């Protein structure tokens, strides 16, 4: 495996686990404010990010590569209202999309088509993640400033499976 591609894939494991930490921090914020639906939503997001990290982990092992786990920093975020965390989640998903795109570019430049094919799932997944995160921002901007709207939004996001 190309050294640059390997390093980027390995680093992505840490980024995915950081994503999980960030979503747990967001979940904690909502939980502390009695918004259990939003807390559950972001707890589920955290679980998905851990699953993504493990996909990279397994891919490296399946391709004879050594996994070198990096340090996961605590999210350095504070929120002053309910819009800020959903915007932070959207911004983070956009960042992760950029990371996946960078790895894809490196894989293609290295003619590593197996890795490029592996990453295609993440390209699709990030599209879905950005759509969902953007929708959360739109809904919070539209209805979150009204107590009854926030109540119904919280109940709606509880329905996520």
């Amino acid at each position: 495996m190309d050294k640059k591609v390997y390093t980027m894939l390995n680093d992505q494991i840490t980024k995915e686990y950081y994503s999980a930490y960030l979503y747990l921090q967001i979940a904690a914020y909502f939980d502390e404010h009695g918004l259990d639906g939003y807390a559950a939503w972001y707890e589920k997001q955290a679980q998905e990010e851990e699953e993504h990290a493990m996909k990279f982990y397994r891919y490296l092992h399946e391709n004879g590569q050594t996994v070198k786990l990096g340090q996961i920093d605590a999210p350095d975020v504070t929120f002053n209202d309910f819009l800020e965390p959903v915007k932070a989640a959207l911004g983070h998903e956009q960042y992760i999309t950029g990371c996946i795109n960078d790895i894809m570019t490196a894989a293609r430049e290295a003619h590593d088509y197996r890795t490029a094919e592996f990453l295609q799932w993440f390209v699709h997944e990030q599209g879905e993640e950005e759509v969902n995160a953007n929708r959360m921002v739109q809904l919070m901007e539209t209805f979150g400033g009204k107590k009854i709207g926030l109540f119904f939004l919280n109940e709606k996001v509880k329905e996520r499976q």
Side-chain angles (χ1 to χ4, degrees):
M1 181 177 288
D2 178 78
K3 185 177 179 177
K4 179 179 179 181
V5 173
Y6 160 73
T7 299
M8 294 173 85
L9 289 168
N10 199 76
D11 290 347
Q12 193 63 31
I13 296 169
T14 305
K15 291 174 183 175
E16 296 293 337
Y17 275 116
Y18 175 83
S19 299
Y21 265 38
L22 176 63
Y23 288 134
L24 283 177
Q25 190 66 63
I26 291 171
Y29 175 79
F30 282 121
D31 227 356
E32 291 159 8
H33 288 85
L35 294 171
D36 59 339
Y38 276 91
W41 176 277
Y42 286 103
E43 286 172 13
K44 178 71 173 167
Q45 283 298 114
Q47 291 171 352
E48 285 185 6
E49 300 306 334
E50 290 173 354
E51 291 169 7
H52 296 170
M54 290 305 297
K55 285 181 185 285
F56 284 102
Y57 172 91
R58 284 188 209 98
Y59 181 77
L60 286 172
H61 274 295
E62 290 167 0
N63 285 277
Q65 301 301 310
T66 301
V67 171
K68 296 180 182 176
L69 298 176
Q71 181 175 335
I72 304 167
D73 295 325
D76 185 21
V77 293
T78 55
F79 305 116
N80 298 305
D81 60 39
F82 300 131
L83 183 58
E84 287 179 1
V86 295
K87 281 189 169 182
L90 174 58
H92 188 72
E93 289 299 342
Q94 292 167 334
Y95 164 73
I96 293 295
T97 297
C99 293
I100 299 298
N101 289 344
D102 290 345
I103 303 169
M104 177 69 87
T105 298
R108 287 183 174 165
E109 288 173 355
H111 304 286
D112 183 349
Y113 302 113
R114 183 180 332 150
T115 298
E117 185 170 327
F118 164 74
L119 290 170
Q120 196 59 50
W121 183 88
F122 288 96
V123 170
H124 178 75
E125 176 70 8
Q126 282 308 121
E128 289 180 6
E129 294 287 3
E130 284 194 37
V131 166
N132 290 336
N134 190 51
R135 183 76 173 138
M136 295 292 274
V137 169
Q138 290 173 333
L139 290 171
M140 187 63 76
E141 285 177 336
T142 304
F143 302 107
K146 302 167 188 76
K147 289 181 183 180
I148 192 70
L150 186 58
F151 171 79
F152 282 113
L153 285 175
N154 187 63
E155 294 302 306
K156 182 71 177 161
V157 296
K158 279 185 194 179
E159 298 172 8
R160 179 182 185 186
Q161 296 297 324

